Amino acid sequence: MSRSLEPLIVGRVVGEVLDAFSPCVKMVVTYNSSKLVFNGHELYPSAVVSKPRVEVQGGDLRSFFTLVMTDPDVPGPSDPYLREHLHWIVTDIPGTTDASFGGSHSPLSLYFTIFCSFFSGILKLLLSVKAGRELFNYESPKPSIGIHRFVFVLFKQKKRQSVCPPLSREHFNTRQFSEDNDLGLPVAAVYFNAQRETAARRR
């Protein structure tokens, strides 16, 4: 078993949301340009209102990926009878050497990166979420009862434009979604914890 999978097993993401898999692609999720998502770390709901920037590394020009963000702890972790709630789906994400989407980039920084990449001969393509296909737009986490896990799962598609949206955000099932769209096991996953934010807990 891969050591990088251990935090997902300890956090019961593997088991309750996903089957065991072998991570083979690097995925980095960042909120507000500075808050990296690490397995099991807590983020405040006020820090995850806007969609994060997601970097995918390890694919190639012929590969495409699907990202799913889900909450398996609704309405509360002690009795998650509404499991899972879907927060985001983006498909047809190009598998470039360094593809990023979501978040925001200033035009100047985008042009500078493309300029530098072109003349260095290194393929680095910065993409907005529009470069992928957003099946469900980003819904910010609003946990009301207990500590919720918010899971980002990355799948490698068999081909482009092959993923269909589920019928609803409610009662979503990551495994069933993967089976319905022939996505197989994930290639990367990461999750963070969040709970209802009181005035005393805000920073």
Side-chain angles (χ1 to χ4, degrees), residues 12 15 42 46 48 57 71 80 101 104 115 124 129 132 137 142 145 154-155 172 178 181 189 203:
R12 304 185 320 280
E42 183 175 354
S46 58
V48 295
Q57 302 172 355
D71 175 2
F101 56 95
S104 60
F115 178 84
K124 285 190 176 182
V129 75
N137 60 2
K142 297 180 179 68
I145 304 171
L154 191 70
F155 294 98
F172 180 75
S178 172
N181 290 282
R203 290 180 178 176

Side-chain angles (χ1 to χ4, degrees), residues 22-194:
S22 298
C24 57
V25 170
K26 183 178 181 182
M27 177 174 62
V28 180
V29 182
T30 311
Y31 279 96
N32 302 321
S33 303
S34 60
K35 293 188 181 297
L36 282 171
V37 174
F38 294 103
N39 284 318
H41 287 206
E42 183 175 354
L43 294 176
Y44 292 109
S46 58
V48 295
V49 172
S50 300
K51 69 177 66 172
R53 177 178 175 178
V54 181
E55 297 175 52
V56 179
Q57 302 172 355
D60 56 50
L61 288 174
R62 294 170 296 178
S63 56
F64 292 91
F65 296 93
T66 289
L67 176 79
V68 172
M69 178 186 176
T70 182
D71 175 2
D73 296 316
V74 285
S78 62
D79 185 19
Y81 64 88
L82 297 177
R83 175 182 294 170
E84 304 165 35
H85 182 79
L86 178 64
H87 280 266
W88 200 21
I89 295 184
V90 186
T91 70
D92 296 335
I93 302 162
T96 59
T97 304
D98 181 3
S100 63
F101 56 95
S104 60
H105 309 286
S106 70
L108 183 60
S109 65
L110 180 59
Y111 295 146
F112 179 74
T113 303
I114 293 172
F115 178 84
C116 292
S117 299
F118 178 78
F119 284 98
S120 66
I122 300 173
L123 178 62
K124 285 190 176 182
L125 181 61
L126 288 181
L127 301 162
S128 73
V129 75
K130 293 178 183 176
R133 192 163 57 104
E134 205 170 21
L135 299 186
F136 275 83
N137 60 2
Y138 180 79
E139 181 183 282
S140 59
K142 297 180 179 68
S144 58
I145 304 171
I147 299 172
H148 289 228
R149 296 162 293 169
F150 294 91
V151 186
F152 294 89
V153 187
L154 191 70
F155 294 98
K156 187 174 181 180
Q157 298 171 211
K158 298 287 193 299
K159 59 183 180 179
R160 191 167 181 263
Q161 295 184 337
S162 60
V163 177
C164 297
L167 296 176
S168 170
R169 291 184 187 268
E170 308 301 329
H171 298 287
F172 180 75
N173 186 294
T174 302
R175 288 186 177 97
Q176 189 62 52
F177 175 76
S178 172
E179 183 178 329
D180 291 345
N181 290 282
D182 195 24
L183 293 171
L185 291 173
V187 294
V190 67
Y191 81 101
F192 68 90
N193 293 323

